Every structure is written in C-alpha cells, then in structure tokens.
Amino acid sequence: MNDDQHQPWHQVQEDLRQPAKELRAMIPDVLKSYGSLHHSAMASGEISTGTKELIALAVAVALKCDGCITSHARGAARAGVSRQAIAETLGVTILLTGGPGTVYGPRALEAFDEYERDYHPSDS
C-alpha cells in the first residue's frame, strides 16, 4: 500500500505518529515506562496475547478511543485472532455499553478487517 493510499484506520495511526513523537521527546521517561508496561501487560502468559488484544479492543470500544481501537485491532490481527472472535468480543462490549457500543463496535470490526488484510492477505 502506498503512503498516499492509506485506509481509514491506517490514517488514524499515521495522524497520531508525529504528535506522539513530539510528546515522547518532551516526556521520554513517561512514555518509555508506558511502553514497558504495555509490553509486559500484553505478553503471552496464562492468557494469550490474542485474548489480551480482545480485552484491550473491548475497552477501547467502551472508551470510544479511535487510537486505541486502531492499535488493538492491529494487535489482534497480528496475533491471529479470528474475525468471529472479534465479533463475539464486540457483542459483549455492546451488552455492557449499549448504544455507544453499536457505533464503536462496527468501527472496531472495520479496523480489524483493514489490518487483517495486512497480516493475512490470502485469508481476506
């Protein structure tokens, strides 16, 4: 995919890149610590990384955070999570969030589909 042909969720990721770099330059220790926390929390253990990405995606939808949705939809695709697992996770999220889940849930599925094509192009 060319840089000038960004898909919507890739564009969210791209739009956040420069501001994140600027903030990282201003508070490097905070963001380095956050990166370490993220790495530790998402590492496979008793709960797989894929399951952790599902949990994170559900929270991202509940919080209505597009940056979080793109990050964890990408992580779920990278971890090999199935589209059905995404849908079922979003179903639980809708149960607990009501109307906002019916708006942000489909957005999360769209984001997952976009990243799924990157990581598993023959499956799409």
Side-chain angles (χ1 to χ4, degrees), residues 53-115:
E53 290 293 357
L54 289 171
I55 294 166
L57 187 60
V59 172
V61 168
L63 294 175
K64 300 177 269 189
C65 175
D66 280 346
C68 304
I69 288 171
T70 195
S71 175
H72 295 293
R74 180 179 177 217
R78 183 184 297 149
V81 172
S82 73
R83 189 170 197 262
Q84 185 63 37
I86 295 289
E88 291 178 21
T89 297
L90 295 172
V92 174
T93 308
I94 290 168
L95 167 68
L96 294 173
T97 62
T102 67
V103 173
Y104 283 85
R107 292 172 63 79
L109 182 60
E110 176 187 54
F112 174 78
D113 288 344
E114 188 175 311
Y115 287 110

Side-chain angles (χ1 to χ4, degrees), residues 4-63:
D4 60 346
Q5 295 177 342
H6 283 295
Q7 296 297 318
W9 292 97
H10 286 80
Q11 189 62 51
V12 169
Q13 187 179 18
E14 185 59 32
D15 290 348
L16 293 171
R17 191 176 319 277
Q18 187 58 38
K21 285 175 69 172
E22 292 172 14
L23 185 58
R24 190 175 316 120
M26 296 173 75
I27 53 170
D29 291 341
V30 170
L31 290 175
K32 181 178 179 185
S33 296
Y34 179 78
S36 293
L37 174 62
H38 181 273
H39 179 76
S40 296
M42 298 307 283
S44 189
E46 189 69 24
I47 299 173
S48 71
T49 297
T51 299
K52 291 177 179 186
E53 290 293 357
L54 289 171
I55 294 166
L57 187 60
V59 172
V61 168
L63 294 175

